Amino acid sequence: MGHAERRNHEHRALLLGLRVAVDVQHLWKPPPHHLDRGSRYTLGNGIHWNEADAALLYAAALVSGLRRRGARVLTNAGGGNGPAPDPKLIGYYTGRNLAAVLWGVHAYLACHVNSAGGAYALTEHLGPGEQLAERIVNRLVLDFPALGRSEVRTLRAGERGAICIDHCGASVAAVILEPFFGDTPIHQAMLSAPRLARLGESIAVAVSDWWLTKRAPRMPQDETLTSPPTPDLG
């Protein structure tokens, strides 16, 4: 096995054993909510983006990044010219959560884009998801300084927003991703296919760092598990 081949093999083995659900939540709902696409954003040049379209692009890159590293991924980030969405993640959120738990996920990522004019990157979590939520949001502001500060919120069962991940159970790291505000002008540079692809890869790096830290014994050299900033491709 050559050096490059060996490195590719090691890369693919990083996340062996990890199971992740990547759920683009505004899509794939039954009637009368089947046309839901989340918030709608208008850019300065008049182009419109739907939240679900942006989330679908970064989720697809996230799925690709996780699978390249060896993780098994349950996802509905398909459709169009891509693979069909997994039927386990079609329907109302409760059913998606429960199906993912039965599938054996360690982490459940609910993909959204924020609105209401903020200027920060946000993750929200239930259960044991705090460390993963922190890893993701810290990676985002490292790779995309224009996002501003990071914020992690702990949700309570029944709270607004918690419905997205409320039935993931006590053993799953369940996190809602709100990586940027689609209606904030300084954040709207994220609304391009290259930037959204890079965003998904950044989240995959954060998930990798979380899993490796979770699996490894705690030692001083653990700091080396935190990857450097992702190169700007946008």
Side-chain angles (χ1 to χ4, degrees), residues 45-71:
N45 59 8
I47 292 177
H48 300 285
W49 276 81
N50 292 323
E51 176 184 355
D53 295 331
L56 190 62
L57 285 176
Y58 83 70
L62 166 59
V63 170
S64 178
L66 291 173
R67 286 177 172 163
R68 281 200 319 273
R69 293 167 170 84

Side-chain angles (χ1 to χ4, degrees), residues 40-119:
R40 184 172 172 83
Y41 315 118
T42 302
L43 278 59
N45 59 8
I47 292 177
H48 300 285
W49 276 81
N50 292 323
E51 176 184 355
D53 295 331
L56 190 62
L57 285 176
Y58 83 70
L62 166 59
V63 170
S64 178
L66 291 173
R67 286 177 172 163
R68 281 200 319 273
R69 293 167 170 84
R72 294 188 63 186
V73 184
L74 178 70
T75 187
N76 56 16
N81 296 323
D86 193 295
K88 297 181 186 65
L89 295 182
I90 290 178
Y92 291 116
Y93 297 157
T94 296
R96 300 183 194 193
N97 294 174
L98 294 173
V101 171
L102 286 175
W103 189 73
V105 296
H106 302 94
Y108 190 107
L109 303 177
C111 300
H112 293 260
V113 175
N114 221 333
S115 60

Side-chain angles (χ1 to χ4, degrees), residues 207-232:
V207 174
S208 299
D209 288 345
W210 166 76
W211 182 248
L212 292 173
T213 303
K214 180 181 173 66
R215 301 280 290 181
R218 187 62 185 167
M219 299 173 66
Q221 58 266 36
D222 281 352
E223 284 73 14
T224 61
L225 296 174
T226 300
S227 306
T230 305
D232 193 342

